[in-house]
């Protein structure tokens, strides 16, 4: 079984950067991704990466501002968030185990506990 632990969230001012990390306990997955959920909203796709070839996918709302990356040796996934906006405020969840870099949350088998990102204007 895979355990995922996110870190790096916090309270920041709009326009600044933040990097989230997700450490996986095992490598039984093909793709990993980031999802987020704002209060009163549905969980939504942010970005994903196929572990072996590094292919990526991004939600339109974050494309050009966020970058997903990985450190294979450390079983760690990152989300570098640039030019943060108040609408980026949400709990960010790390996910793993999808066969492809799909935006469908039901395709991911493993989930972290989430890390809060709050962006003030």
């Amino acid at each position: 079984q895979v355990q995922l632990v996110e870190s790096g969230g916090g309270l920041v001012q709009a326009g600044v950067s933040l990097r989230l990390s997700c450490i996986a306990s095992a490598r039984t997955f093909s793709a990993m991704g980031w999802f987020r959920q704002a209060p009163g909203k549905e969980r939504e796709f942010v970005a994903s990466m196929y572990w072996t070839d590094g292919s990526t996918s991004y939600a339109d709302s974050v494309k050009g501002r966020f970058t997903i990356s990985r450190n294979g040796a450390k079983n760690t996934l990152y989300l570098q968030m640039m030019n943060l906006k108040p609408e980026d405020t949400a709990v960010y969840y790390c996910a793993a185990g999808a066969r492809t870099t799909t935006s469908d949350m039901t395709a991911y088998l493993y989930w972290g506990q989430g890390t809060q990102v709050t962006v003030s204007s």
Side-chain angles (χ1 to χ4, degrees):
Q1 300 299 313
V2 176
Q3 301 295 120
L4 306 175
V5 180
E6 306 98 329
S7 63
L11 173 62
V12 299
Q13 184 178 349
V16 303
S17 301
L18 200 62
R19 189 180 77 161
L20 305 182
S21 298
C22 171
I23 301 175
S25 64
R27 292 177 58 189
T28 59
F29 39 79
S30 297
M32 294 184 69
W34 291 95
F35 291 76
R36 66 187 183 186
Q37 187 166 18
K41 301 293 184 180
E42 297 289 333
R43 188 171 300 184
E44 65 176 356
F45 171 77
V46 176
S48 59
M49 167 173 280
Y50 196 80
W51 200 257
T52 54
D53 68 6
S55 60
T56 60
S57 182
Y58 294 93
D60 288 341
S61 60
V62 306
K63 193 172 299 181
R65 296 190 298 120
F66 290 11
T67 301
I68 189 170
S69 62
R70 73 194 190 285
N71 184 322
K74 296 181 179 293
N75 289 340
T76 302
L77 184 73
Y78 304 98
L79 184 68
Q80 180 66 50
M81 304 183 291
M82 307 290 289
N83 189 25
L84 282 163
K85 304 176 183 297
E87 51 263 44
D88 294 319
T89 295
V91 176
Y92 283 71
Y93 296 91
C94 178
R99 294 176 61 187
T100 66
T101 55
T102 178
S103 62
D104 183 0
M105 62 181 288
T106 65
Y108 293 85
L109 304 178
Y110 312 104
W111 292 84
Q113 82 291 338
T115 185
Q116 177 71 48
V117 173
T118 302
V119 184
S120 62
S121 60

